[in-house]
Amino acid sequence: MEKLGIIDLGSNSARLVIVNLFADGYFMVVDELKESVRLGQDMERDGFLKPARVAETIKTLKMFRKLCDAAGVTRIIAVATEAVRRAKNQRSFLDEIQANCGIKIRVLSAEEEAVLVYRGVINTMDVPKGVVLEIGGGSTKIVYYNRRNMLNYVTLPFGAVTLTGLFSEDGLKPEQQAAKIEEFFTEQLKQVDWLKEIDPDVQMIGVGGSFRNLFKISKMVHKYPLDTVHNFKMSVDEFLPIYDMLKVLDLDKKKKIKGLSAERADILPAALAIVKSFVSYLNLEGFTFSGAGLREGIMFNQALPMTLEKPIADVLNYSLTTLVKYYDCDEKHVEHVVNLSIQLFKQLRVLHKFPRQYLKVLKVAAMLHDCGMRIKYYNHQRHSWYMILNSTLYGVTHRDIVLAAFTACCHKKEDINMYDWMRYKDVVSEDDLEIVKKLGVMLRIAESLDRANSGTIKSINCDILGDSVIMKTEVDGDATLEIRNAMTAATEFRKAFHKNLELL
């Protein structure tokens, strides 16, 4: 295992992430540090990075270096984006960092930056056609892709920091500044010819710290139960009230808003004005948030070099396999339970009548059903429930994550706490409870049929006869333990499917 440090030096903030790279192509973030450096502030006047900003950046990078050394990082990849890219004193700045911090920073070209953002998105989201809007401090990137192929990109040299500075004229009210930014940014969009040719059904994906803050504010306003920004969806109708509220407030009032970080309070209205301009120009009804971007693009390139050529084919399976390895689950047992669960789902389809999308929910629950054992064996299904809800899962919706968590919670017994269920009433519906119970009992039977983790039961063949379901097992050895354990689910099976369970 290699421990890697990745430093992303942006126009607004500097971020360090420390990543464990596993030998078989997987990775996990194990630490993070972020500091607001405002490197691009006041550059519009003469194109030079200002001494105070440079000093603050060097101070921050020294802290990053200290943390990397303490964590045992063996390699650091440091990149810089728009502010450094266009700085007239770029060379002296980079030399000063090398001399004071021992960190060599590579300045990304606009194309390299756009490609890394794209790779961070495409390898973590199951969205075959999308337009990515990444709002930085000194630039805004737009990337269009279809069928998981990057088609066009543009980097506009205006971000949340630069636009805030350009339109902070004396005498203008905050809402007037926002209106001017909207108007200005729309004019920039009109100059991008390929934007006019984007398919109308394209899905917009938002990337960057401003979107993360927007999620936090929305979470506070609507009491959203999940803390996961990745794959969160917001309609324009939900976005506009938040934007309208923020754009009229002065800075002191913005700093008091729950969910909004104080160091971003002054520049968030400009970022949201960009979002408003973009969704209006493309006539979009909503957008999806991505928690992954440039840094994740670097992680995938380092852990899985094949992503330099083509994206991961099965985003969800890669994400689940990463967690199975990280939680040190029994991989053979996991694989066997998944296979038996899929067999049950397909053979009982005449009873449950679920569309194929619920097979994804069952797979998530089956792969992570035992992850709670990392906390404690007793009642580990409850710990698995919590860990699924709070793990980094890619390629799956928030609703499916909640359904999978409750399904996994049923793999020892039907263990659905109704108080917990009601906490997620804005994500799942009342009818979803019956879906969870059916999926849960299928998972419970599948897990029981590999009770000794030995793969004794190879396959299942279900016959539905009258008021009974007869499950015939193909075995290799003595399956008494497995069949006896599976039959303990007979009562829940009868409640869920209104059939008696027989196992042969």
Side-chain angles (χ1 to χ4, degrees):
M1 182 185 74
E2 181 186 9
K3 188 157 284 191
L4 175 69
I6 298 174
I7 295 173
D8 173 12
L9 183 56
S11 302
N12 178 56
S13 59
R15 283 182 179 271
L16 164 70
V17 287
I18 297 176
V19 186
N20 284 346
L21 296 180
F22 306 117
D24 43 4
Y26 298 91
F27 66 87
M28 184 64 66
V29 173
V30 294
D31 206 347
E32 178 186 41
L33 189 59
K34 176 205 166 191
E35 292 291 327
S36 178
V37 295
R38 293 289 170 92
L39 192 56
Q41 196 166 27
D42 300 326
M43 275 188 68
E44 305 82 34
R45 294 197 300 259
D46 54 14
F48 281 86
L49 299 170
K50 299 301 177 283
R53 302 293 97 212
V54 170
E56 185 63 30
T57 301
I58 290 174
K59 178 182 175 182
T60 295
L61 292 176
K62 284 181 177 178
M63 287 193 296
F64 287 0
R65 182 80 212 204
K66 180 181 180 180
L67 184 57
C68 285
D69 292 342
V73 168
T74 55
R75 184 161 56 102
I76 295 176
I77 296 175
V79 298
T81 54
E82 181 67 17
V84 182
R85 187 161 57 232
R86 60 189 176 89
K88 293 179 180 178
N89 54 341
Q90 177 193 115
R91 186 70 265 158
S92 62
F93 172 68
L94 297 178
D95 289 343
E96 193 171 352
I97 289 174
Q98 176 83 54
N100 285 277
C101 310
I103 297 172
K104 185 176 181 179
I105 293 182
R106 184 165 75 88
V107 181
L108 297 175
S109 69
E111 181 178 10
E112 287 174 323
E113 187 178 355
V115 168
L116 285 171
V117 170
Y118 163 73
R119 286 178 183 157
V121 169
I122 202 66
N123 288 306
T124 61
M125 302 190 82
D126 189 14
V127 179
K129 178 167 59 179
V131 57
V132 180
L133 178 70
E134 199 260 13
I135 303 173
S139 67
T140 300
K141 284 158 286 298
I142 305 169
V143 179
Y144 176 47
Y145 70 90
N146 193 3
R147 296 181 180 177
R148 299 173 68 77
N149 288 308
M150 183 172 162
L151 300 179
N152 283 299
Y153 80 93
V154 65
T155 297
L156 302 175
F158 308 99
V161 173
T162 49
L163 287 176
T164 299
L166 281 172
F167 292 95
S168 57
E169 300 174 21
D170 292 336
L172 281 181
K173 295 179 179 179
E175 60 267 34
Q176 292 173 321
Q177 293 177 12
K180 282 185 171 290
I181 292 173
E182 281 185 50
E183 181 183 357
F184 173 83
F185 199 79
T186 300
E187 289 303 313
Q188 307 306 309
L189 294 176
K190 289 178 181 178
Q191 296 174 34
V192 183
D193 291 336
W194 55 263
L195 272 178
K196 304 180 181 75
E197 301 168 7
I198 284 183
D199 292 341
D201 61 340
V202 72
Q203 188 167 331
M204 174 188 153
I205 299 166
V207 178
S210 295
F211 283 100
R212 288 190 291 272
N213 265 257
L214 178 58
F215 165 76
K216 291 176 184 177
I217 295 170
S218 179
K219 175 179 168 62
M220 296 296 297
V221 170
H222 299 290
K223 295 181 172 58
Y224 191 70
L226 289 174
D227 289 324
T228 306
V229 63
H230 195 73
N231 255 324
F232 178 72
K233 297 182 185 300
M234 177 179 283
S235 70
V236 171
D237 288 342
E238 292 170 323
F239 164 73
L240 289 176
I242 295 175
Y243 175 48
D244 290 340
M245 171 192 71
L246 274 170
K247 71 182 183 182
V248 301
L249 299 178
D250 60 33
L251 182 57
D252 288 339
K253 290 180 179 178
K254 283 198 284 278
K255 285 182 177 180
K256 295 176 183 177
I257 295 175
K258 291 183 178 179
L260 175 55
S261 60
E263 66 265 21
R264 197 173 286 270
D266 60 332
I267 62 172
L268 187 61
L272 299 190
I274 292 173
V275 176
K276 170 61 166 57
S277 170
F278 195 75
V279 297
S280 297
Y281 185 73
L282 292 183
N283 197 28
L284 300 169
E285 295 181 356
F287 46 93
T288 303
F289 292 55
S290 172
L294 182 148
R295 292 180 295 280
E296 285 72 20
I298 296 174
M299 294 175 207
F300 278 103
N301 289 353
Q302 294 297 313
L304 205 61
M306 59 156 279
T307 56
L308 290 163
E309 302 297 330
K310 60 180 181 178
I312 292 169
D314 189 338
V315 169
L316 175 59
N317 190 65
Y318 178 86
S319 175
L320 288 169
T321 304
T322 300
L323 292 173
V324 166
K325 291 177 180 294
Y326 185 68
Y327 293 141
D328 196 26
C329 300
D330 184 326
E331 293 184 47
K332 288 185 177 179
H333 174 64
V334 166
E335 182 181 2
H336 204 57
V337 172
V338 169
N339 288 336
L340 293 173
S341 297
I342 291 172
Q343 290 180 42
L344 285 171
F345 183 93
K346 291 179 177 178
Q347 294 185 37
L348 296 176
R349 183 172 276 141
V350 68
L351 295 180
H352 61 67
K353 299 181 175 64
F354 295 154
R356 186 173 176 81
Q357 72 187 75
Y358 289 105
L359 192 55
K360 181 185 288 187
V361 173
L362 183 57
K363 182 178 180 179
V364 174
M367 287 195 74
L368 299 178
H369 72 280
D370 272 345
C371 67
M373 292 175 65
R374 298 315 103 203
I375 297 176
K376 185 173 67 174
Y377 171 77
Y378 296 107
N379 292 318
H380 68 263
Q381 73 277 5
R382 297 290 301 167
H383 304 310
S384 296
W385 167 82
Y386 174 83
M387 290 168 74
I388 292 171
L389 286 172
N390 292 279
S391 291
T392 301
L393 273 168
Y394 296 141
V396 65
T397 66
H398 284 195
R399 175 176 177 269
D400 287 349
I401 290 173
V402 174
L403 294 179
F406 279 96
T407 297
C409 201
C410 294
H411 85 270
K412 284 296 180 188
K413 58 182 178 178
E414 189 178 295
D415 194 6
I416 299 175
N417 182 306
M418 290 309 298
Y419 173 78
D420 288 335
W421 178 263
M422 290 306 296
R423 285 172 55 200
Y424 297 92
K425 59 183 173 55
D426 293 333
V427 182
V428 294
S429 69
E430 190 174 333
D431 294 339
D432 287 333
L433 186 58
E434 294 307 312
I435 293 171
V436 164
K437 290 178 179 179
K438 287 183 170 69
L439 294 176
V441 75
M442 283 188 267
L443 175 58
R444 180 175 173 184
I445 292 170
E447 205 267 348
S448 295
L449 292 177
D450 195 40
R451 184 64 181 84
N453 294 19
S454 59
T456 300
I457 293 179
K458 302 300 181 185
S459 63
I460 314 164
N461 191 358
C462 298
D463 291 329
I464 302 169
L465 301 173
D467 61 354
S468 296
V469 172
I470 302 171
M471 294 185 183
K472 299 174 184 176
T473 58
E474 179 190 341
V475 304
D476 181 12
D478 182 6
T480 304
L481 168 64
E482 284 76 14
I483 290 175
R484 183 187 296 272
N485 200 253
M487 283 304 297
T488 63
T491 300
E492 280 81 8
F493 187 88
R494 189 181 306 111
K495 288 179 183 177
F497 294 103
H498 308 293
K499 300 283 183 183
N500 296 317
L501 174 64
E502 296 182 35
L503 266 163
L504 303 176

